[in-house]
Amino acid sequence: HFALSPPGASKAQPRRHRAHTLHFHHLNTFPNMAAQMISAQATFAAVAPVVSRRNAKVSAKCAAFTKGTNALKKAVIQPKRVVKSLAVAPRAEGEPLDFAGKGLNDLIAESKDQRLQHLEEQAMGALKLAVEGFSDPVFPNALIAGDCVITHLLHRLGYLSNGKCKVMVVDTFHLFPETMEFLKEVEKAYDFKAEVFQAKDCKDKSEYDAKHGADLWKVNVEEYDRICKVEPFQRGLAETGCNVMLNGRTRWQGMERAYIDLYESAPILGGLAKVNPLAYWSLEDTFDYIAKYKILHHPLHAKGYPSIGDAKDTIPIPEDGSTSFVDFKFEGDVKPWLDYASERKGRFVGLVNKDGSKKSECGIHVAGAEKTFDRDLWAESSAVKEIGSREEMLALKEGGEKAVVVVYAPWCQFCQAMEDEYETLAAKLSAEGVTVAKFRGDEDKAFVQENFNTETYPTINVVGGGAAVKYDSEDRVAEAMAAFATATMA
């Protein structure tokens, strides 16, 4: 009985009672003890008659133990009596879970609302700090879900209608038609006018196609980004006088952005001040907030697009459009949208960087993206003559003297690769009185296509007498190019 007595039990207490007390005190803590005590009872019951003949005092102890363990056996065999007195009865199947009088769904909704309230206060505080603390805050608005939340918050703070915060939009000429139409709707609803920036010296898509080519994004995506996104973006910030930029990037959008903070020094324009009011929001937070306040949002969310960029490389997620956000609520499985780093899975589809990795940033927020090449090819000291205008090119073509001219793009790897050989060619032919020239064709694509046989870079022609004869070989060593030129001019 010494082994069965609970720690701290009084020695004055009857030993039978001490054994009984141990059972109820330790029943939940030592589940195997009940079985051990019942087994011990059986042993004592078997030996008790023998012991009692020898020692009546020992027999009395065995009887007391047997009586105590009978109570234990009864409790084990009928556990309901113990559960009823010591534990909360289990829920019946299908019975709603209850937390101190509150249902599970009510508690989840309440906790989400508390989180949104905190995130809202944090975001509005950041916006107030930016707009009130700087003279020229600018919000580049891409009209994605997070940007729609920021637009709503700026409106609530009165910063749009009073003009304290300017809004700029970059039209890449490759956006979905719905995007610019949605901008008009947002401008009307929130009483402001955005400043729209596009590729330099291009008033519309047709001018852009003529100047740079409709397929520039296929030929060199970094150069496309520079012309259609990075340069207009940085020009917009400069022309609006921006000294603090508001931005909708969040940590939830992926590893490239996983460590951004509410306040940053941007890696562009000499360390421009940047505020990311939604830095700590998840995409679920964003759509919960849109639903709570019935905020205007891009119509393509209803067609399966979690994020919206250029139409040429943006797809629904999943691709069958089975997940969508319609009438301020989700339809379908939300996981493909709301899982970490899933917001932008449908962006930059099929695009790769120079190193072969999947493209995930357009360059707007990347240091150095405004430069896609280190320098121009065939510098001023070169024997290669620079042709700077259409008129000069046409005069060279129509002239009586034969000449060699390369149509090139300084960012093109094939043009870069032939730089030394073309320089050697120029030195050789110029010594013979033949002009060897260059013309930058990536800034006037339609013109070189029409007049100088150019579809890709580099394109080499022998011109003169009103004709342009193309060098069709990809053998761009000086000897081969010189042989072609000599034969064509003969």
Side-chain angles (χ1 to χ4, degrees), residues 223-430:
E223 180 67 2
Y224 164 79
D225 284 346
R226 184 189 71 81
I227 291 170
C228 294
K229 299 179 181 181
V230 178
E231 191 282 329
F233 183 83
Q234 295 190 4
R235 176 163 36 93
L237 293 176
E239 291 186 12
T240 56
C242 175
N243 57 6
V244 62
M245 175 173 59
L246 310 180
N247 189 261
R249 295 185 307 153
T250 77
R251 291 184 172 197
W252 194 258
Q253 289 169 339
M255 287 307 298
E256 299 91 345
R257 303 178 175 187
Y259 297 97
I260 65 170
D261 287 307
L262 209 61
Y263 307 99
E264 291 183 322
S265 174
I268 59 174
L269 302 181
L272 179 69
K274 181 191 286 189
V275 175
N276 305 304
L278 308 186
Y280 311 132
W281 293 47
S282 70
L283 188 62
E284 183 176 5
D285 294 327
T286 301
F287 278 106
D288 282 346
Y289 195 81
I290 288 172
K292 179 178 180 179
Y293 289 102
K294 302 295 185 285
I295 295 172
L296 285 172
H297 53 282
H298 202 295
L300 288 182
H301 291 312
K303 296 183 178 180
Y305 293 83
S307 184
I308 297 96
D310 281 352
K312 62 182 174 54
D313 51 57
T314 304
I315 63 172
I317 297 294
E319 290 188 47
D320 61 5
S322 56
T323 302
S324 59
F325 187 74
V326 182
D327 295 331
F328 301 102
K329 61 181 183 297
F330 279 107
E331 294 184 356
D333 182 8
V334 299
K335 290 181 181 178
W337 282 30
L338 302 186
D339 281 350
Y340 180 73
S342 293
E343 178 180 357
R344 291 156 57 83
K345 277 185 178 177
R347 300 280 300 278
F348 310 110
V349 175
L351 302 182
V352 295
N353 298 309
K354 285 181 178 178
D355 62 4
S357 61
K358 183 182 183 300
K359 193 168 183 62
S360 60
E361 293 281 358
C362 66
I364 282 176
H365 305 287
V366 179
E370 69 276 8
K371 287 188 72 176
T372 55
F373 53 92
D374 296 327
R375 59 179 177 78
D376 197 7
L377 303 178
W378 303 291
E380 292 179 5
S381 59
S382 169
V384 178
K385 179 181 179 180
E386 181 176 3
I387 307 297
S389 69
R390 287 183 173 187
E391 291 74 22
E392 286 182 78
M393 276 291 279
L394 291 174
L396 197 64
K397 179 181 177 181
E398 299 299 327
E401 298 292 329
K402 299 286 186 179
V404 178
V405 61
V406 61
V407 179
Y408 77 103
W411 43 261
C412 170
Q413 60 179 321
F414 303 107
C415 297
Q416 294 167 1
M418 67 167 282
E419 184 177 21
D420 290 343
E421 291 295 326
Y422 195 71
E423 184 68 47
T424 300
L425 174 70
K428 174 180 173 58
L429 294 185
S430 60

Side-chain angles (χ1 to χ4, degrees), residues 107-123:
L107 280 173
I108 292 174
E110 183 180 312
S111 62
K112 276 192 170 189
D113 196 58
Q114 290 170 347
R115 174 176 169 81
L116 286 182
Q117 183 178 350
H118 165 70
L119 291 172
E120 177 189 70
E121 290 173 358
Q122 186 182 66

Side-chain angles (χ1 to χ4, degrees), residues 26 67 80 184 206 211 230 299 390 400-401 442:
H26 290 87
K67 186 174 181 180
K80 288 184 179 178
K184 295 176 184 177
S206 61
K211 185 177 176 69
V230 178
R390 287 183 173 187
E401 298 292 329
D442 63 316

